[in-house]
Amino acid sequence: MRSLKVAGQLGAVAVVLALLGLFIWKVASDDEPTARVGSEVPRFDLPALDGDGRVSVEQHLGKPMVINFWATWCGPCREEAPLLEQAARKYRERGVVFIGVDIRDFTGDAKSFVKKYDVSYPIAYDGPAKLWEPWGITGLPETFVVGRDGKIVSHRIGAYDNATELEAAIERTLS
Amino acid sequence: VRALLVCVAALAFACAPPAFASERHPTQAELEGELVCPTCHTTLDQSNAPVAVRMKQYIAQRIAAGDSKSEIKAQLVAQFGRGVLAAPEKKGFDLLAWVLPIAGLLAGAGVLTLLLWRWTRRPEEELPLLE
C-alpha cells in the first residue's frame, strides 16, 4: 500500500514537471524573431501561386528585394497593386526583385487579381498564413524592402499612397 | 440492460437522418457556425471581416452547387488551413481533443469510485471492539 502511495506521488510530480516543461517550451517558441528594420530578413519557401515551382527568399539573396504581403479581400491592396507593378517594372533592370505573398486568400481570387492588375513578379501563396506570426504581420498590406546584405531597410504597414516613399526605400538599397 | 440498449438504438435511429441530411444538404447558418474567420478568430456568423464576408459568399456558392458539408469544409481547409475549423476534426491527432476529456472524466470517476469504496469500508474495518 505504501509503495502504491509513493508511486502515486511520483506520478503527480512527473505530471507537474511535464506541464512545466510544456509551459517553458511554449514561452520559448513564442519568442520567434519577427521582421524588423535592421534585422536579417526571415526566410520562407512557399509554393508559387501559379503552381509553377516555389518562391523563396533564399533564391534572391544578394539582390535588393521588395516583399509585399497582400490578399484580394483587402481594399488597400487593390489600390496599391498598380503602384507596385509600376515600380517592379521600373526597377527590374537595376536588379531589384519584387515578391508578392498572397496570404489568407482563395487561390482562384488571387489568380484573377494577378491577371486583372497584370502583376509580372512572382507571387507566393500562403493561404494558411504560416508567415503571419514569424514576420510579425499586423494587417494587410505590409511591405518590406530588403538590401543586398539581406537586412530589412524599410517596413511599410498599410498601402503606399504614392511611389515616392517606396522608391526612396528602394534607392537606399541601390546606393 | 435490454431496455437501455433499446433506448440507445432508438436514439441512434432518431439522430441519424438529421445528421445525414445536414451532411448532404448543409445550411449556410450551420456552416458559418462551424467555421472560423482566419483574421478575427471568431466563427463566421459572428464576423463581418472582409475575409469572413468572402468566405460566406464562397459557402453560399458551394451550397448552391450541391457540395456536401464535409466537401465545403475540406475546400476551405485546403485554402486556409485547419485553423478555419471551429472544432477539431474527429481523426488523427485532433481526435485526442475529443478523447482526452472523456478519458479524463472516466479516470476521475474511477478514482472517485475507488476513494468512496475505501472510505465506506474503512470505518467497518477499524471499528474498535466494544466489550
Side-chain angles (χ1 to χ4, degrees):
Chain A
M1 203 63 185
R2 186 177 165 76
S3 62
L4 193 68
K5 195 176 175 184
V6 171
Q9 285 170 340
L10 283 174
V13 169
V15 168
V16 170
L17 285 176
L19 288 173
L20 188 67
L22 198 64
F23 174 72
I24 292 168
W25 171 78
K26 178 66 185 154
V27 169
S29 62
D30 277 353
D31 197 25
E32 286 175 359
T34 53
R36 291 190 204 91
V37 172
S39 71
E40 191 78 16
V41 60
R43 309 296 195 254
F44 67 74
D45 181 29
L46 292 166
L49 178 68
D50 60 10
D52 185 21
R54 301 187 70 82
V55 179
S56 73
V57 164
E58 279 88 344
Q59 66 193 115
H60 301 295
L61 280 177
K63 295 176 189 168
M65 282 182 267
V66 177
I67 303 170
N68 172 249
F69 288 81
W70 63 278
T72 54
W73 45 262
C74 148
C77 301
R78 292 193 289 270
E79 290 165 19
E80 186 188 49
L83 185 148
L84 285 169
E85 177 56 27
Q86 206 174 6
R89 288 173 195 264
K90 181 175 176 180
Y91 286 97
R92 184 167 296 147
E93 285 181 10
R94 296 174 71 184
V96 180
V97 175
F98 277 63
I99 298 173
V101 181
D102 177 43
I103 198 161
R104 286 183 175 153
D105 207 355
F106 288 97
T107 46
D109 292 353
K111 284 176 184 173
S112 302
F113 182 100
V114 166
K115 198 171 174 184
K116 181 179 177 184
Y117 292 101
D118 197 20
V119 179
S120 60
Y121 49 88
I123 304 291
Y125 178 66
D126 185 20
K130 288 176 186 164
L131 301 189
W132 195 276
E133 283 181 24
W135 278 69
I137 304 293
T138 54
L140 296 178
E142 286 199 22
T143 306
F144 298 84
V145 180
V146 182
R148 285 196 175 97
D149 58 358
K151 297 258 172 72
I152 295 168
V153 299
S154 166
H155 175 199
R156 169 80 185 189
I157 297 173
Y160 287 104
D161 301 322
N162 55 61
T164 314
E165 191 187 342
L166 174 61
E167 290 185 5
I170 294 171
E171 289 295 341
R172 265 188 282 157
T173 69
L174 295 170
S175 57
Chain B
V1 176
R2 187 178 295 170
L4 184 70
L5 284 174
V6 170
C7 283
V8 169
L11 193 68
F13 277 117
C15 292
F20 187 66
S22 163
E23 166 58 22
R24 288 286 300 276
H25 304 290
T27 65
Q28 181 82 19
E30 65 189 15
L31 274 164
E32 286 185 14
E34 293 173 20
L35 291 157
V36 172
C37 160
T39 54
C40 45
H41 306 295
T42 61
T43 49
L44 292 179
D45 53 8
Q46 307 262 317
S47 174
N48 281 319
V51 65
V53 172
R54 178 65 189 98
M55 287 170 78
K56 289 177 194 178
Q57 287 171 354
Y58 181 83
I59 290 168
Q61 287 164 358
R62 297 323 307 165
I63 288 174
D67 289 0
S68 69
K69 185 193 269 190
S70 52
E71 283 171 345
I72 295 171
K73 282 186 174 180
Q75 289 155 12
L76 287 166
V77 166
Q79 294 286 306
F80 296 95
R82 291 196 297 178
V84 291
L85 297 173
E89 291 178 288
K90 288 173 185 161
K91 61 182 181 184
F93 184 76
D94 287 353
L95 187 62
L96 280 178
W98 294 94
V99 171
L100 283 180
I102 297 166
L105 271 176
L106 290 176
V111 169
L112 201 63
T113 308
L114 186 71
L115 288 174
L116 284 173
W117 179 72
R118 284 184 58 191
W119 287 336
T120 50
R121 280 182 64 90
R122 188 174 293 164
E124 287 174 17
E125 289 169 355
E126 292 177 1
L127 273 176
L129 290 172
L130 294 171
E131 292 292 322

